[in-house]
Structure formats: structure tokens, C-alpha cells
Amino acid sequence: MQTNDEQILKTEHLPWPIDLSWFFLQRKILKRKLPLLASFKVTYRCNLSCRACPFHLRAADDKAHMSWDKAIQTLAALRRLETRIIVFEGGEPLLWRDGSHSFHDLVLYAKKHFLRVAVTTNGTLPLDVSSHTLWVSLDGLKETQNALRSNSFDQICSNIAKTKHPRVFIHCTLNRSNWRDVESLAMWVKKMPTLKGMTVQFFYPYNQGEDDLSLLPEERFAAIEKLLKLKKAGFPILNSPGRLKAMIDNRWTCYDDILINIDPDGTITKGCYVKNRGKINCDACGFTPVAEASGALDLNPKSLYAGWKLFIST
């Protein structure tokens, strides 16, 4: 006999043009507060100790690593909530396994039941996961990356050069130590044939043991001005100009109900990415993915195009 979770997950999602149209119709016309995407942390375990990250510091917690059964139960709960996109993260998600089940099994399972599945990885393991979208966290070229992210640059470069994944992007978190280097990183990304572009966000201070790398207001302004110039010059920065400008003073409309957070203990939290993970301070927000998704919900053409480039186009 099938369990309720199995019955829910057995239903297939619609083709993306129909499914996304139906999603926006429900959100905009029927006023249903459906979540668009889930930030799904399968583990806090990580093989790096990055200066800006508080999550690897939780690796010794009692419930720092999700079981296969809990993952399947959680995916079923997300289907009940009509979530469209799953973004697996960590810690380092590619390290996840439970018994005979590997992370690759979990991705394949999720792909059967959700419109799109993405993964954010530190890039130090082979980039052979079969997600629709794959983000590699890279915060600069060799000297900068190694200082911020545990001497990982050479291994990441090797894995990027070898990958056959069709949709790999760099994701850079700009902070006090690296924002001046974003142009050199953008030039490097543009030259890499296996990369489709890059996205950026801004360091958020959790104040939970990570280094304080917060940008000063004038530094954030200068960084965004630089990003806008690079984008206009043809560099593959996929954040939309309007959402980048909105991040200068964080006075944009945030629809945080489009987001759901999943933590390794199975906790499901609706709302801001920081909710249940730290203290929320909207003035310090650096989460451009939420800003972009909120723009898309307002039917901003350039935010919609950014989403299409990241999740749909080949």
C-alpha cells in the first residue's frame, strides 16, 4: 500500500510554460500565497571552512545531516505546498549520503516531482550532479578565493574545466574583502567555455562565528555601480539591473512568502532566508535571489528574463 507521501510524489508536474503560467495566475489573480522555491539544506557538513559562512560551524549538531526518509517526507510536504523549484544547499550538499542513497539519487528523485532542481556547491567535488542548474560558489580569483574559502581555487578550476553539465553558473558573495575584484572574476567567467555566466549576492552578517565581512554603504554602492557597468559592457552577470539598483538601500518590495527554508533537521520555515537561521535585519539584506524572485512576481520583464536564463534556457 502506498503512503500519502508516495501518492503525492507520484503526481507529475506540468510542462514549464503551463506550470509557471498557472503559478503566476494563482499568485496574482487568485491571491494564493504559493511558494516558488525552497532553500533545502540537506546537511551542515562541509569539507571547507569558509570565512563568511556560519553553517559549517553547525556540523557537529545532533541533527546536522538529513536522512533519506526525512528528505522524501520533506519533498512530499513541499509538493503539498505546491513549491515549484528546489535548491539544494549545505554545508556541502555533494557530500550528502544516507546508507546506500547518494546525493545524486536525491537529485534524480526531486527532478521527477518538481519543475526545476538546482544545486549550490563549493565546487571542490566533481560537478557531475544531474540538476537542471548548478551554482558553484566562487568569491574571486586565486588569492582572494583561497583567503576566503579554504585554499579551494585550483580544485574548483579543475572541476569547472572538466564538467559536462549544461548549465553551470558562478555565484559570488561580495564582501569587504573581494568586492574590488569582481571585474577580474567576471572576465575569468566570460572566458570559461563551461560556464554560462555568474550571479552575485552580498554578504549577510549572521553574527554566529563567521567573520564580519559586511560592506559599508559606500562600498555596496560602489560595488553595484561596478556591476552595472560590467553588465552593460557585455559581461555575463545575470542579475537584472533593476534588482541590483534596488539592493543599494534595500527599499524593494520583498515577497518573502515565495520562499521556504528547509534545514537538515527537517524543519520547514516559510519566509525570509534568515528566518529560523539567524536574526533578520532587512536593512542588511544581500539576498539578490529573493529580490529577483520578488521582481519576477511583480512581472518585471528583466527579472523574468533572469529567471529564464538561470532555470529554463540551454
Side-chain angles (χ1 to χ4, degrees), residues 47-120:
N47 56 338
L48 302 183
S49 300
C50 300
R51 288 174 54 194
C53 179
F55 297 110
H56 70 90
L57 301 172
R58 308 179 188 183
D61 292 355
D62 289 340
K63 296 182 179 179
H65 196 77
M66 186 176 284
S67 70
W68 172 264
D69 289 343
K70 176 62 72 175
I72 300 311
Q73 292 169 13
T74 305
L75 289 172
L78 293 173
R79 275 302 299 266
R80 282 192 289 269
L81 293 168
E82 300 184 50
T83 311
R84 265 45 181 200
I85 300 170
I86 303 294
V87 182
F88 287 116
E89 353 177 310
E92 174 46 53
L94 271 64
L95 290 174
W96 183 92
R97 70 176 306 114
D98 182 37
S100 63
H101 297 290
S102 70
F103 181 65
H104 299 270
D105 298 327
L106 188 58
V107 169
L108 288 171
Y109 195 95
K111 282 178 68 177
K112 294 178 181 178
H113 308 295
F114 292 88
L115 182 64
R116 287 293 184 267
V117 175
V119 174
T120 301

Side-chain angles (χ1 to χ4, degrees), residues 284-296:
C285 180
F287 301 109
T288 54
V290 180
E292 209 71 76
S294 294

Side-chain angles (χ1 to χ4, degrees), residues 11-69:
T11 59
E12 296 294 329
H13 57 74
L14 297 170
W16 73 262
I18 299 172
D19 197 44
L20 285 180
S21 298
W22 176 230
F23 171 82
F24 280 106
L25 176 67
Q26 291 183 91
R27 285 278 325 201
K28 302 296 288 185
I29 305 300
L30 303 180
K31 305 300 182 183
R32 295 188 63 200
K33 293 187 179 296
L34 300 178
L36 177 63
L37 57 91
S39 156
F40 198 127
K41 292 188 178 295
V42 290
T43 185
Y44 289 141
R45 297 173 188 170
C46 192
N47 56 338
L48 302 183
S49 300
C50 300
R51 288 174 54 194
C53 179
F55 297 110
H56 70 90
L57 301 172
R58 308 179 188 183
D61 292 355
D62 289 340
K63 296 182 179 179
H65 196 77
M66 186 176 284
S67 70
W68 172 264
D69 289 343

Side-chain angles (χ1 to χ4, degrees), residues 36 44 73 76 96 102 105 135-137 177 195 209 232 235 295:
L36 177 63
Y44 289 141
Q73 292 169 13
W96 183 92
S102 70
D105 298 327
W135 273 288
V136 177
S137 296
S177 294
L195 295 175
K232 189 174 182 179
F235 287 90

